[in-house]
Amino acid sequence: MGKNIDKDRQNKTVLFDALKNHLSNRVVRFDVPGHKGGRGNKEFRDFIGLDAMQMDVNSMKPLDNLCHPTSVIKEAQDIAAEAFGAKEAYFMVSGTTGAVQAMIMATCKAGDKIIIPRNVHRSAINAMVICGAIPVYINPGLNKKLGISLGMSINDVKKAIHENPDAKAILVNNPTYYGICSDLKSIVKLAHENNMLVLVDEAHGAHFSFDDNLPISGMAAGADMAAISMHKTGGSLTQSSILLSGERINADYVRQIINLTQTTSSSYLLMTSLDVARKNLAINGKELFEKTVKFAEYARNEINKLGGYYAYGKELIDGDSVYDFDTTKLSVYTKDIGLAGIEVYDILRDDYEIQIEFGDLGNILAIISAGDRGLEIERLISSLAEIKRLYSKDSTGMFDHEYINPDVVLPPQKAFYSEKEMVPIKESAGKISGEFVMAYPPGIPILAPGERITEEIINYIEYAKEKGCLLTGTEDMHVEKINVVLE
């Protein structure tokens, strides 16, 4: 948590309180939204509740305005900045996608280079499509057995800085979807010595600021900006996130950048959920995440006793591309029982009514939090045991890796907006992709605009489709064809 925390201040929920006060005044509604506190949409009101519908209000003087906050939203953001150890905090109602895009667009203009790991979320490459920044990709390490990409090696970062001294920023995933963390403090030191900013995609690390036994947070490591998915592990509503910035960043310029793409009709349900979730983390976070780690460690140990599965943890740490590991993550390798992660994901949902976060070609990820119950953890473990008993088979011939080094030919913006033609994916080898192909979740592109399509990539896409992965990104909704750059 941020230094010099004022617990009395962190107990406040100024935005939430202002909204409750506004509702208690029973103000007559002649503004939007048109459902008028739920009276105009009774079926939905009866389903989600009257309180939720009445909280769905528009910006007004007593409730401030997210586009230009000067009162209760400003104070709520300032309290959040203190909780996370940042100079500034910005409430985001466009998710961490919007926060990642704002980081890149606030630090890079058209033609500027940004050093970036290739296993980024699509939002980072989308930002480059929009603003025209040029990616300098660092290929992450690969754990060949698990088929997962790792963090950024310090030597690779040094090499990228040496070869691109004009780069404006370095973006780091902290942690990856699977819980892998890079040596963030060393990356920050290197970047700042070379007049570069550090941007942290901390979508899966909102909890890092509130328990010293977890990996270091972006702000604590000295990063310049960090995008935090409060809705993932912080307890707020889906689509609500926080963008943080430090001393080197012009906060008012960042707000201008956010306002280029974020809605002017910001949801008070989302914003007040951020306000209350921040209070809960600041006051109860250490206790909550200690409980989370206990659940995850118990599950990890029990799943490993089953045989066939491998729930991995801190033993992966090597001091470099796996500098640390987020022990709240329950990542499980499944291929040794002859099933792709996506197959286990489907069986858990369809046969056992258990919804986990995602499955890829070799792993599953279950998100654990203090909101879970012991009986549910046991149910997951016993279901995995039964799946192994009923469905396991010989793993020979299964796809043996997850990450493919890209051949980047054109900048993302140039490729995306170029003249293109649509061709069958099976016949696209050798051509330059004009769009994305990715499995969602996690939303890390298999192909991004500007990259050369290879037989290896085509085989990967076909195998992912065969196993039941949800592929997205192409204009063709069936993902049978792909737009390629006319050369």
Side-chain angles (χ1 to χ4, degrees):
M1 188 164 25
K3 295 176 182 176
N4 305 317
I5 288 296
D6 182 339
K7 281 294 180 89
D8 289 337
R9 192 178 187 220
Q10 290 300 322
N11 257 310
K12 292 181 177 180
T13 51
V14 289
L15 180 57
F16 186 44
D17 293 347
L19 180 57
K20 288 189 292 184
N21 183 60
H22 168 71
L23 296 177
S24 71
N25 291 334
R26 303 175 67 84
V27 173
V28 177
R29 299 171 186 247
F30 284 113
D31 60 350
V32 296
H35 61 69
K36 307 288 179 163
R39 294 195 302 267
N41 189 347
K42 293 181 180 179
E43 181 179 2
F44 193 58
R45 178 199 67 195
D46 291 345
F47 178 70
I48 71 164
L50 180 61
D51 287 346
M53 293 296 276
Q54 290 191 332
M55 286 176 68
D56 187 34
V57 298
N58 195 26
S59 298
M60 61 189 75
K61 279 192 176 180
L63 297 180
D64 209 353
N65 188 310
L66 185 60
C67 293
H68 193 92
T70 57
S71 58
V72 287
I73 293 177
K74 176 70 168 69
E75 187 177 355
Q77 291 183 152
D78 289 346
I79 295 171
E82 180 189 76
F84 284 95
K87 183 185 177 188
E88 297 281 344
Y90 318 80
F91 286 178
M92 302 295 298
V93 294
S94 53
T96 308
T97 289
V100 168
Q101 290 174 346
M103 288 197 302
I104 293 173
M105 292 164 63
T107 54
C108 297
K109 299 180 177 67
D112 287 346
K113 292 179 184 176
I114 177 169
I115 296 169
I116 193 167
R118 178 55 180 77
N119 60 323
V120 288
H121 188 263
R122 66 178 294 178
S123 57
I125 303 177
N126 282 345
M128 291 184 280
V129 168
I130 295 168
C131 76
I134 310 295
V136 175
Y137 286 126
I138 290 180
N139 292 326
L142 177 72
N143 183 303
K144 290 187 178 178
K145 173 176 171 59
L146 303 178
I148 63 170
S149 44
L150 306 175
M152 297 166 82
S153 164
I154 292 300
N155 283 334
D156 288 344
V157 174
K158 285 180 180 176
K159 183 172 182 284
I161 290 173
H162 177 72
E163 293 176 354
N164 302 275
D166 53 340
K168 299 295 184 183
I170 302 174
L171 186 140
V172 187
N173 295 328
N174 189 67
T176 68
Y177 227 128
Y178 303 95
I180 307 295
C181 298
S182 301
D183 184 355
L184 201 50
K185 284 185 85 167
S186 295
I187 293 171
V188 168
K189 185 172 183 292
L190 276 169
H192 288 173
E193 286 172 353
N194 289 275
N195 299 313
M196 297 177 190
L197 299 171
V198 176
L199 319 176
V200 182
D201 181 348
E202 209 156 46
H204 295 273
H207 48 300
F208 287 0
S209 293
F210 303 95
D211 188 338
D212 292 338
N213 294 315
L214 294 172
I216 193 168
S217 70
M219 287 293 109
D224 300 291
M225 300 183 81
I228 307 286
S229 272
M230 282 289 278
H231 67 95
K232 286 184 169 69
T233 58
S236 66
L237 292 179
T238 292
Q239 201 176 312
S240 61
S241 294
I242 295 178
L243 176 60
L244 305 170
S245 67
E247 296 288 341
R248 296 166 181 252
I249 300 298
N250 180 339
D252 295 323
Y253 178 64
V254 171
R255 193 167 291 108
Q256 283 186 316
I257 293 293
I258 291 169
N259 286 339
L260 290 176
T261 55
Q262 184 160 261
T263 178
T264 55
S265 303
S266 47
S267 165
Y268 278 83
L269 278 167
L270 298 183
M271 289 190 289
T272 54
S273 81
L274 285 172
D275 200 23
V276 178
R278 181 272 315 150
K279 172 188 171 182
N280 190 35
L281 294 186
I283 303 302
N284 305 309
K286 186 169 178 60
E287 175 190 344
L288 291 171
F289 296 124
E290 283 177 353
K291 182 179 178 183
T292 302
V293 169
K294 282 180 182 175
F295 273 152
E297 291 284 24
Y298 172 78
R300 208 172 346 263
N301 291 333
E302 293 300 308
I303 290 168
N304 284 333
K305 289 176 186 175
L306 299 176
Y309 297 105
Y310 173 34
Y312 38 96
K314 280 183 171 285
E315 71 281 356
L316 295 181
I317 292 173
D318 63 9
D320 189 24
S321 56
V322 187
Y323 186 76
D324 207 346
F325 185 83
D326 176 11
T327 49
T328 69
K329 296 286 187 292
L330 184 59
S331 304
V332 185
Y333 178 69
T334 64
K335 284 199 330 193
D336 283 346
I337 65 166
L339 294 176
I342 187 63
E343 292 174 308
V344 176
Y345 170 99
D346 287 339
I347 295 167
L348 280 169
R349 184 194 60 245
D350 296 343
D351 295 2
Y352 297 92
E353 296 181 337
I354 293 175
Q355 182 62 56
I356 59 172
E357 176 66 8
F358 82 91
D360 60 26
L361 297 186
N363 305 268
I364 57 172
L365 172 67
I367 296 294
I368 307 295
S369 83
D372 289 313
R373 294 177 292 188
L375 281 174
E376 293 169 334
I377 302 289
E378 296 290 358
R379 183 171 164 187
L380 173 62
I381 295 163
S382 62
S383 298
L384 288 173
E386 199 165 308
I387 288 170
K388 179 193 170 190
R389 182 176 63 83
L390 294 175
Y391 297 98
S392 62
K393 57 192 177 187
D394 186 0
S395 61
T396 303
M398 295 188 72
F399 212 81
D400 67 352
H401 66 279
E402 188 75 13
Y403 177 78
I404 300 171
N405 288 346
D407 176 13
V408 181
V409 184
L410 295 173
Q413 186 184 64
K414 185 172 182 180
F416 188 83
Y417 289 113
S418 67
E419 289 294 315
K420 294 174 286 194
E421 64 174 341
M422 192 175 281
V423 300
I425 289 175
K426 290 180 180 179
E427 300 170 14
S428 64
K431 299 184 182 299
I432 301 169
S433 177
E435 57 188 356
F436 292 93
V437 181
M438 70 206 87
Y440 188 84
I444 297 167
I446 301 166
L447 259 179
E451 294 175 1
R452 183 82 64 189
I453 304 169
T454 64
E455 290 290 351
E456 185 183 21
I457 290 170
I458 294 169
N459 291 338
Y460 182 99
I461 292 169
E462 292 302 315
Y463 186 82
K465 286 164 68 175
E466 177 191 322
K467 290 297 182 183
C469 292
L470 173 63
L471 294 182
T472 68
T474 52
E475 185 180 328
D476 172 23
M477 294 295 287
H478 301 289
V479 199
E480 299 287 345
K481 298 180 179 180
I482 187 167
N483 277 312
V484 298
V485 176
L486 278 172
E487 295 181 75

